[in-house]
Amino acid sequence: MEKELGIVEVEDVSQLHIKKYIQERQRLGREVNRTLNNNLATLKVFFQYIVNEEFIDEQSNPKRRIRNLKEEKTVIVTFNDEKCRGLSMT
C-alpha cells in the first residue's frame, strides 16, 4: 500500500482502495473468487479489530460496505443406492 498508493497509516485506507485491490487481483486472474473472498474475510476481521481498538470508528471502517464476490457453486457427486449396490465390498 505504501509503495503503490502512498498509504502509511491504516486510518487512510478507504473503500476505494479495497475495491481497487479486488479489481487488480481479478485482472491478474491468479485467484478464484473464493480465494478473494477469504482475503476479504481476513480484511473484515482486521478492520473490526481496528474499530474495537478505537483506531477508527465504525463509520470509517473501509470494509463495512464491501460485499463478497459471487462464487461458482461446486456440485459434489455422491453415490446413490443403485451405484452402491454395484460396488463389490470384497
Side-chain angles (χ1 to χ4, degrees):
M1 296 288 283
E2 182 177 3
K3 181 180 175 184
E4 295 291 323
L5 302 170
I7 296 174
V8 180
E9 302 294 329
V10 69
E11 296 91 351
D12 297 332
V13 177
S14 71
Q15 287 181 3
L16 181 62
H17 296 124
I18 295 173
K19 287 179 181 181
K20 284 188 177 208
Y21 164 77
I22 294 167
Q23 289 172 346
E24 179 64 14
R25 302 312 295 176
Q26 286 178 319
R27 185 186 69 77
L28 292 174
R30 294 184 190 146
E31 296 129 331
V32 295
N33 285 355
R34 179 178 294 152
T35 302
L36 291 172
N37 284 339
N38 288 338
N39 294 346
L40 290 173
T42 301
L43 285 174
K44 180 179 180 178
V45 170
F46 172 73
F47 280 108
Q48 189 57 54
Y49 170 78
I50 297 299
V51 168
N52 292 343
E53 292 297 315
E54 299 179 352
F55 285 101
I56 60 174
D57 60 35
E58 184 61 40
Q59 295 300 317
S60 300
N61 183 346
K63 181 61 180 84
R64 185 171 61 96
R65 299 177 88 194
I66 295 179
R67 305 246 183 245
N68 281 348
L69 304 169
K70 288 188 178 186
E71 296 180 16
E72 288 186 30
K73 295 186 182 202
T74 55
V75 177
I76 299 172
V77 179
T78 59
F79 288 108
N80 60 25
D81 289 340
E82 189 175 305
K83 286 184 182 179
C84 287
R85 278 187 228 123
L87 294 176
S88 172
M89 299 304 264
T90 57

